[in-house]
Amino acid sequence: MNTPSGSAYKPSASVLSSGASSQVGGAAHQEQLQNVGLERHDAGGIQALNADSLRAHVLATSALSLKQILIMVLLLTLMAALPWLAEQIGWDYYIGFMRRVMIMMTVAISLNFILGYAGMVALGHAGFMGVGAYALVIALDAGQSNVWLMLLYALLASAFFALLIGAISIRTKDAYFIMITLAFAQMLYYITMSLGFLGGEDGYAIYVPFSFGAWLDEFEHTFYYLVLAILCLVFLLNERVLKSRFGIALKGTRENSTRMLALGYPVYAIHLCAFVIAGAVAGLGGALLAINDNYVSPQMMSFSESAALVIMIILGGMATRWGPIIGVAVWLGLSEVLKLYTDFWHWPMGLLLIVLVFFSPQGIVGLFKKRTS
């Protein structure tokens, strides 16, 4: 703007008002930005608070009640005393049967971890049992007889196969996931049938005595109490993991994986980690089953074994604490009793499952919940 020489410039009222309004606008804009920042900070704090309160709520609602603790102590006492009681009344056979039941309970807990809490319907879980059992057989062929090392080999081998299979399978969903896990289990089934050094179709009989080390070899029921200890350990670890942040996120992926992904959760990594954990525990159960039976067969990996595991969990109650344990106990117990009277014991078991699906979709655990409510 040109001003006359020798005279002082006096801005007009319009210029003054525009400058003042710009300053006021700038201050208002800065204040608005600060408010937005505060709101975002508050929202983040509220989100963190909600996450902590949710976890506290989960811990409070899923805690064991005094009644459940007393029932657990009673059952553990009976199970611990079973070998002595069975010997006193001449029922030695049921010591081995109870070992098998506890091993299948351990495997069922691992399947319920992904089936019930992650919504991953895996129809090839028995394949990991076979991997663990044959890992033990390979270790035996290599001259190993130490039980602890062979169980470690079985755990690592099944975890490795679960990682490979899960890395591919988890990229699919729903019916495709069911079919691809079944396909991998069938592949493992036919591979073991074709390997002659593992016994092929006839299976592999174990004649080498196992070593537990030191004075444990002299104790008659060492393996029984080892299986009981592993069952208790897997049960407690399952409870601990489900109450952790990882477990809560795993349950969230079951409800709505798309929303969890939008919130920033690595859904694929969560599912893969859960799949590997479940597969490793199943492999450990397979190795224990091989020691219990002194025999390993490809039939351990068959579709019927995987389907039976799913049925046991549905029978007891999916996504429940006691569902896998009750389902295995009822299924194996009833089948053992019905076999004494008929060769067609499958149809009463099928009828029981149909009745439960119609009247108690939550399984046997759901019946107890209805009764208490």
Side-chain angles (χ1 to χ4, degrees):
M1 177 183 298
N2 294 327
T3 60
S5 59
S7 63
Y9 169 69
K10 295 182 179 180
S12 63
S14 61
V15 173
L16 287 173
S17 62
S18 63
S21 62
S22 63
Q23 288 180 354
V24 172
H29 181 64
Q30 288 182 354
E31 185 178 359
Q32 184 179 6
L33 288 177
Q34 289 177 355
N35 290 335
V36 170
L38 288 173
E39 288 176 0
R40 288 178 178 174
H41 178 73
D42 292 341
I46 291 172
Q47 266 190 340
L49 182 62
N50 287 338
D52 291 337
S53 62
L54 174 62
R55 185 165 183 265
H57 175 71
V58 170
L59 290 174
T61 55
S62 60
L64 286 169
S65 64
L66 179 60
K67 183 179 179 181
Q68 289 178 331
I69 293 174
L70 291 175
I71 292 174
M72 281 184 61
V73 172
L74 178 61
L75 288 176
L76 285 175
T77 304
L78 291 174
M79 292 167 73
L82 179 66
W84 181 81
L85 293 174
E87 288 179 347
Q88 296 300 315
I89 58 180
W91 288 3
D92 293 349
Y93 164 78
Y94 289 101
I95 299 176
F97 173 73
M98 192 61 197
R99 286 199 304 258
R100 184 178 183 87
V101 170
M102 291 190 294
I103 292 170
M104 296 307 296
M105 285 178 179
T106 303
V107 178
I109 290 173
S110 70
L111 179 57
N112 187 53
F113 184 67
I114 57 174
L115 174 62
Y117 295 105
M120 294 189 288
V121 185
L123 262 184
H125 206 62
F128 300 121
M129 291 178 60
V131 170
Y134 278 103
L136 182 138
V137 166
I138 293 173
L140 278 174
D141 272 347
Q144 185 62 254
S145 62
N146 187 282
V147 171
W148 310 103
L149 286 177
M150 288 190 289
L151 291 180
L152 178 61
Y153 296 154
L155 193 71
L156 294 176
S158 52
F160 176 72
F161 274 87
L163 178 63
L164 294 180
I165 294 173
I168 300 172
S169 303
I170 294 173
R171 298 182 183 277
T172 62
K173 294 182 179 180
D174 303 328
Y176 302 103
F177 179 80
I178 297 173
M179 296 308 297
I180 198 170
T181 52
L182 175 61
F184 274 116
Q186 291 300 104
M187 287 172 59
L188 293 172
Y189 171 74
Y190 285 109
I191 288 173
T192 52
M193 286 188 65
S194 63
L195 295 177
F197 74 97
L198 294 178
E201 188 176 357
D202 297 328
Y204 189 99
I206 300 173
Y207 301 104
V208 180
F210 296 97
S211 173
F212 293 91
W215 57 272
L216 293 174
D217 288 332
E218 301 175 3
F219 185 52
E220 184 179 359
H221 301 297
T222 297
F223 182 60
Y224 178 90
Y225 290 107
L226 172 62
V227 172
L228 178 59
I230 290 176
L231 172 61
C232 294
L233 181 62
V234 169
F235 178 84
L236 293 175
L237 286 177
N238 180 70
E239 288 291 302
R240 183 65 187 90
V241 171
L242 290 175
K243 293 176 183 178
S244 67
R245 297 181 186 275
F246 172 79
I248 296 172
L250 184 66
K251 295 175 186 177
T253 61
R254 176 195 61 189
E255 300 299 330
N256 195 327
S257 59
T258 304
R259 180 172 294 179
M260 293 293 289
L261 191 62
L263 290 172
Y265 286 89
V267 174
Y268 176 81
I270 291 173
H271 281 176
L272 182 60
C273 184
F275 194 83
V276 171
I277 292 172
V281 175
L284 178 63
L288 292 173
L289 201 59
I291 298 174
N292 183 67
D293 298 341
N294 285 320
Y295 179 72
V296 179
S297 168
Q299 188 64 27
M300 184 184 292
M301 301 181 176
S302 66
F303 164 73
S304 59
E305 294 296 322
S306 295
L309 282 171
V310 176
I311 290 172
M312 290 176 197
I313 294 175
I314 295 174
L315 183 66
M318 286 194 303
T320 59
R321 175 184 289 126
W322 302 104
I325 293 176
I326 294 175
V328 171
V330 171
W331 181 266
L332 294 183
L334 281 179
S335 64
E336 190 71 15
V337 172
L338 291 173
K339 285 176 183 177
L340 298 175
Y341 300 99
T342 177
D343 293 333
F344 306 100
W345 59 272
H346 292 87
W347 73 263
M349 303 294 289
L351 182 62
L352 172 64
L353 185 63
I354 292 172
V355 170
L356 274 175
V357 167
F358 275 103
F359 294 99
S360 180
Q362 293 184 347
I364 297 174
V365 173
L367 292 176
F368 285 102
K369 287 182 179 179
K370 289 179 181 179
R371 185 176 179 182
T372 54
S373 61

